[in-house]
Amino acid sequence: MMGEHKKTVVAVAGLLWSIAAVFKQPRAVISEGRGMFSSEVLIKARGLTKKFGNFTAVNRIDFEVNKGECVGFLGPNGAGKTTTVRMIYCFLPLTEGELAVGGMSVTAQAREIKRIIGVAPQEDNLDPDFTVVKNLLVYARYFDIQKAEAEKRAVELLRFFQLEEKRDVVISELSTGMKRRLILARALINEPQILLLDEPTTGLDPQARRTVWEGVRALRRRGVTIILTTHYMDEAASLCDRLLIMDNSRIIEQGAPVELVKRHVGEDVLEMDNDENLLRALKKEFPSARFEVFGDRVHVFTDQPHGVFENFLAKFPSKNVTIRNANLEDVFLKLTGKGLRD
């Protein structure tokens, strides 16, 4: 068993190294405390707009993605995240504005752009008539990958995503999680320079999610540029160098995950029952604090240093009170609202 594990590690390392080999050393490198990426802009949008009839899905957004950077798009359902990603990989034509990938226009050079991109879409678009391995081999033909090389890459990817035993199984016999892992494997078959992951871990169990995370981190270390959309705040905080938060078809905020938390929420969050007496004391003690009601619970946010809530509770003890670190979910709810959206 241990021998098989070592073989898997070696195979995956070889695959990731070969993906990284397509990159030249960047002239300048930026460090954001999370990873290293080039100052070279690889994806650039200006006034990017997508309309479906009278409905505007993406409304004049501007953004840039540096080579080797992992950028996450966050937002509620219908915010425009997936539409933006689909324009990047030339699946949807833009309505207005400009969008360049690798210095190439998505309008004029779609074929060339598609060759350097790997895509793991949100929906299941595997071919149901093919087996697991056949899905990878047929997809490899679109990139003119020689048969022997395609078979080698397929074997390595199936091993990495723990699908070896399913290689000759038809798609209908796979679980939802297995299908997600196969879609991810397919996205890597052409050793892409840019990897687009649209909610890549939806439907995966915790172990499989962690496997995908480690794969993404390994690709980042090798310099692959990654665009990620996700509804998992812990995933975005763990993987992304920078986040673009979208709402109502626009980018409303951006920055590194830690910076966004400090900017919009602060250090600590106090959660408590909706107790009027305690609320009055809190508002008097922290006049600049923000109070958010979530059902019968109240969340109190302050930009003051760690420990202020503990000192307050020493003077005003209360039951059912929790103090925790502020996180990205707090930022998301503050900027986009608490209501459910279809």
Side-chain angles (χ1 to χ4, degrees):
M1 190 73 176
M2 183 60 71
E4 286 301 312
H5 175 72
K6 290 181 178 178
K7 289 179 182 178
T8 300
V9 172
V10 171
V12 173
L15 175 66
L16 298 179
W17 183 263
S18 62
I19 291 174
V22 301
F23 298 97
K24 297 179 180 179
Q25 281 295 108
R27 294 181 181 177
V29 173
I30 300 171
S31 174
E32 295 291 343
R34 178 176 296 267
M36 303 292 286
F37 51 89
S38 169
S39 60
E40 177 185 346
V41 175
L42 193 60
I43 301 172
K44 184 175 183 179
R46 290 290 180 269
L48 182 61
T49 301
K50 179 61 183 177
K51 296 181 180 180
F52 297 95
N54 294 326
F55 173 70
T56 302
V58 176
N59 191 4
R60 300 190 59 79
I61 64 173
D62 300 336
F63 67 89
E64 295 181 353
V65 177
N66 287 4
K67 189 173 183 178
E69 190 178 16
C70 181
V71 172
F73 280 82
L74 295 182
N77 291 331
K81 308 181 302 297
T82 295
T83 300
T84 300
V85 169
R86 287 176 173 174
M87 286 190 283
I88 292 173
Y89 67 84
C90 310
F91 182 80
L92 288 175
L94 53 86
T95 303
E96 297 174 10
E98 300 176 357
L99 178 60
V101 178
M104 297 177 284
S105 166
V106 297
T107 301
Q109 297 166 286
R111 182 183 294 272
E112 292 86 345
I113 290 172
K114 289 178 180 179
R115 298 191 70 85
I116 66 170
I117 288 181
V119 181
Q122 183 180 143
E123 67 277 2
D124 171 13
N125 63 352
L126 296 166
D127 194 317
D129 297 324
F130 294 153
T131 63
V132 167
V133 70
K134 189 73 170 179
N135 264 273
L136 297 182
L137 296 177
V138 169
Y139 193 71
R141 293 177 189 170
Y142 297 124
F143 300 95
D144 298 324
I145 301 171
Q146 294 298 312
K147 182 178 179 180
E149 178 62 22
E151 290 176 348
K152 177 185 174 184
R153 295 184 192 181
V155 168
E156 292 172 347
L157 288 165
L158 291 179
R159 185 180 296 133
F160 176 52
F161 287 105
Q162 301 175 31
L163 291 169
E164 284 181 292
E165 295 181 358
K166 303 293 184 180
R167 61 167 288 149
D168 297 317
V169 168
V170 294
I171 300 305
S172 62
E173 297 181 21
L174 298 181
S175 67
T176 300
M178 290 176 181
K179 290 176 183 177
R180 292 304 303 168
R181 280 145 53 192
L182 181 57
I183 288 170
L184 288 166
R186 188 186 61 185
L188 292 171
I189 197 71
N190 62 319
E191 299 183 347
Q193 295 182 36
I194 302 169
L195 184 60
L196 303 181
L197 305 176
D198 194 5
E199 299 188 25
T201 60
T202 298
L204 300 188
D205 59 37
Q207 292 87 348
R209 283 185 71 205
R210 295 290 173 174
T211 298
V212 172
W213 287 12
E214 287 307 312
V216 172
R217 290 190 185 104
L219 291 166
R220 285 178 51 223
R221 288 193 294 269
R222 299 299 185 185
V224 177
T225 304
I226 299 172
I227 304 293
L228 171 75
T229 74
T230 182
H231 282 122
Y232 296 120
M233 298 298 111
D234 58 338
E235 184 165 270
S238 177
L239 298 179
C240 297
D241 298 297
R242 187 162 52 91
L243 299 173
L244 305 177
I245 300 179
M246 296 190 70
D247 196 20
N248 296 318
S249 76
R250 293 180 179 273
I251 294 174
I252 60 173
E253 183 59 289
Q254 63 178 292
V258 172
E259 293 173 354
L260 290 175
V261 172
K262 289 183 178 179
R263 186 186 310 161
H264 291 282
V265 183
E267 299 285 352
D268 291 334
V269 178
L270 185 147
E271 298 184 10
M272 51 175 279
D273 288 341
N274 200 340
D275 182 322
E276 280 297 326
N277 293 328
L278 189 58
L279 276 173
R280 277 196 295 270
L282 276 164
K283 290 177 180 178
K284 183 177 181 180
E285 188 80 9
F286 305 105
S288 63
R290 195 177 85 257
F291 295 78
E292 294 279 355
V293 178
F294 295 84
D296 61 352
R297 298 282 284 178
V298 177
H299 293 187
V300 185
F301 304 92
T302 177
D303 57 4
Q304 295 188 42
H306 285 296
V308 295
F309 286 137
E310 285 88 343
N311 294 334
F312 170 81
L313 292 176
K315 296 185 291 184
F316 301 92
S318 181
K319 295 180 180 179
N320 300 324
V321 174
T322 301
I323 300 171
R324 61 170 174 80
N325 290 332
N327 57 43
L328 197 56
E329 186 170 331
D330 298 318
V331 177
F332 184 84
L333 291 173
K334 176 187 175 184
L335 295 178
T336 65
K338 302 183 289 296
L340 295 176
R341 306 189 195 180
D342 296 327

